[in-house]
Amino acid sequence: MNELGFGYLYDFRNPGPWRRAPEGLYAETLDVIAETEALGFDGAWVPEHHLAEDGYMTSPLVALAAVAARTKRMRIGAAIALGPLYEPLRFAEDCAVLDTLSGGRLAMGLAIGYRAREYAAHGLDFTRRGARFDEFLDIVRRLWAGETVDFAGRHFTLEGARVAALSGRGQVPLYIGGFAPKALERVAKYGDGYFGNPEIWPLYRAKLEEQGKDPASARIWLQELMLVVAHDKAVALEELAPHFHHVSNSYAAWMAEDRAVGIEDAAMKPMDLDTFKRSGALKILTPAEAVAHFRALREKAPVEHFTMMMPPGLPAERFLAYARTFAEEVIPAFR
């Protein structure tokens, strides 16, 4: 089995309890990303949401240009960007530039999102986001293939569109998220891999076979944002819980807005800090437990990359202390 890569998600949030000048926060986050590369991590990923009061990253492609300049080896990309909010030619061009700037290290995670207000703010119909995404993916793939694209669809009309400066690779790897059968058809048709949960692997495998593609070539990214490795679980819980509690409750509020995540009972539940600590939502593992956990995941699905997160408000030196433990005592088991 291939090596398993590990990386972190950086959402650049700046919530009230720990608010600081955004310029300082952004600069420090870039320093952290560079340090995780030095520690041996394989990926730095930037997500996307809009209208968030805590400053959640709205412009992953812009942030990733800065990440590309501060790193040399690790893969970088969005995890995830909200594909239907983009215009396909501009997206294809921006990704081609990013892939070139990074020396061919870009990989883009995309999905349709689950918040109607984000679509309303962009002047788009939330209920048509799946069909818009399909057109978007078809156009982007053709542009990265070097085609000059004429397209007249329900959502996009392009005439003579082409990416004049493709990267050396042309196609940028796309990892597409989703849970429903229709979403997995999209992953199998347009994606280089699946971004999501291990229990979806049988459905993804079936959709690959329907598309005439070899499941042995399947590539899967997993994320478990609230997973941390520490030697003393109790101490780690007390230090980390307030920061991950903010993450948990903000996602819970967003998922409850439209209940459009795509899987039954997917919504996280709002809770107070003490309840959060008892809930087990924050998974703190010893290094040995983490190694067993990741080995078990790979027995269920052909996972190639696993993503955790830097929680908002946690001081950089404290985050890096946990990252160092992971790098020294977990990563070597998968090399």
Side-chain angles (χ1 to χ4, degrees):
M1 188 175 286
N2 294 334
E3 292 184 353
L4 175 60
F6 295 97
Y8 286 106
L9 183 89
Y10 302 91
D11 57 24
F12 291 82
R13 280 197 251 200
N14 197 8
W18 308 285
R19 186 155 292 157
R20 53 192 290 203
E23 293 83 358
L25 172 65
Y26 279 37
E28 181 181 84
T29 303
L30 292 172
D31 288 344
V32 165
I33 291 170
E35 182 61 26
T36 63
E37 182 177 67
L39 287 172
F41 286 89
D42 309 285
W45 312 108
V46 181
E48 175 181 3
H49 274 296
H50 300 270
L51 312 176
E53 294 181 2
D54 64 2
Y56 197 111
M57 176 53 63
T58 58
S59 304
L61 294 174
V62 175
L64 287 165
V67 174
R70 293 295 303 276
T71 54
K72 297 277 191 274
R73 173 189 54 80
M74 60 168 41
R75 297 170 81 192
I76 66 171
I80 53 88
L82 303 176
L85 299 185
Y86 290 81
E87 186 277 316
L89 176 59
R90 170 60 69 188
F91 176 87
E93 291 173 329
D94 287 350
C95 287
V97 170
L98 257 177
D99 199 43
T100 300
L101 286 172
S102 66
R105 294 184 287 124
L106 185 66
M108 293 295 291
L110 299 174
I112 62 173
Y114 53 85
R115 301 179 68 211
R117 67 176 63 186
E118 292 180 308
Y119 279 79
H122 285 84
L124 297 172
D125 183 349
F126 181 68
T127 67
R128 300 295 300 162
R129 67 197 190 284
R132 181 180 172 91
F133 195 24
D134 287 335
E135 287 190 9
F136 168 89
L137 290 166
D138 179 49
I139 295 166
V140 167
R141 282 300 195 196
R142 290 172 62 189
L143 289 167
W144 284 341
E147 292 185 34
T148 297
V149 177
D150 295 318
F151 188 92
R154 295 186 62 181
H155 301 278
F156 299 104
T157 301
L158 293 81
E159 183 177 343
R162 69 185 184 94
V163 180
L166 287 166
S167 72
R169 296 191 298 172
Q171 297 285 347
V172 172
L174 294 180
Y175 289 74
I176 301 173
F179 303 102
K182 172 62 177 174
L184 272 296
E185 289 176 16
R186 181 179 297 123
V187 180
K189 182 175 182 179
Y190 296 110
D192 294 289
Y194 171 66
F195 181 89
N197 297 355
E199 61 269 20
I200 303 297
W201 162 235
L203 178 59
Y204 178 34
R205 181 175 56 207
K207 296 302 180 183
L208 284 168
E209 290 171 345
E210 289 175 11
Q211 293 282 338
K213 297 180 179 180
D214 183 3
S217 65
R219 298 154 70 177
I220 297 177
W221 284 359
L222 295 183
Q223 69 173 14
E224 202 164 350
L225 298 183
M226 291 194 284
L227 183 147
V228 177
V229 169
H231 292 114
D232 190 321
K233 295 184 182 183
V235 170
L237 180 64
E238 289 304 310
E239 178 176 35
L240 298 172
H243 303 278
F244 283 103
H245 178 239
H246 176 83
V247 173
S248 180
N249 276 7
S250 61
Y251 281 129
W254 292 346
M255 289 180 182
E257 287 175 1
D258 304 292
R259 300 201 174 276
V261 176
I263 52 177
E264 292 297 321
D265 198 32
M268 302 162 77
K269 306 298 187 290
M271 58 187 96
D272 61 37
L273 179 58
D274 287 339
T275 304
F276 176 75
K277 287 179 181 179
R278 296 191 301 267
S279 71
L282 175 54
K283 185 181 293 183
I284 302 174
L285 304 177
T286 66
E289 289 171 342
V291 170
H293 175 71
F294 296 126
R295 284 177 174 160
L297 283 177
R298 300 193 88 193
E299 290 175 1
K300 296 178 183 176
V303 182
E304 68 168 25
H305 192 87
F306 188 90
T307 303
M308 300 162 287
M309 79 174 298
M310 180 182 183
L314 184 67
E317 65 273 12
R318 295 305 306 139
F319 169 73
L320 287 170
Y322 288 99
R324 190 168 293 107
T325 298
F326 193 104
E328 293 174 353
E329 300 188 48
V330 178
I331 289 178
F334 298 94
R335 294 292 183 270

PDB file of all heavy atoms in Angstrom, residues 4 170 302:
ATOM      1  N   LEU A   4       0.859   7.019   3.378  1.00  0.00           N
ATOM      2  CA  LEU A   4      -0.278   7.846   3.760  1.00  0.00           C
ATOM      3  C   LEU A   4       0.238   9.237   4.102  1.00  0.00           C
ATOM      4  O   LEU A   4       1.136   9.386   4.942  1.00  0.00           O
ATOM      5  CB  LEU A   4      -0.988   7.227   4.976  1.00  0.00           C
ATOM      6  CG  LEU A   4      -2.139   8.031   5.582  1.00  0.00           C
ATOM      7  CD1 LEU A   4      -3.254   8.259   4.559  1.00  0.00           C
ATOM      8  CD2 LEU A   4      -2.693   7.308   6.813  1.00  0.00           C
ATOM      9  N   GLY A 170      -1.130  20.709 -17.058  1.00  0.00           N
ATOM     10  CA  GLY A 170      -2.432  20.865 -17.697  1.00  0.00           C
ATOM     11  C   GLY A 170      -3.547  20.646 -16.697  1.00  0.00           C
ATOM     12  O   GLY A 170      -4.027  21.584 -16.066  1.00  0.00           O
ATOM     13  N   PRO A 302      -9.052   2.904   0.364  1.00  0.00           N
ATOM     14  CA  PRO A 302      -7.696   3.249  -0.100  1.00  0.00           C
ATOM     15  C   PRO A 302      -7.378   4.730   0.139  1.00  0.00           C
ATOM     16  O   PRO A 302      -7.249   5.527  -0.791  1.00  0.00           O
ATOM     17  CB  PRO A 302      -7.745   2.908  -1.591  1.00  0.00           C
ATOM     18  CG  PRO A 302      -9.177   3.118  -1.969  1.00  0.00           C
ATOM     19  CD  PRO A 302      -9.975   2.690  -0.778  1.00  0.00           C
TER      20      PRO A 302
END
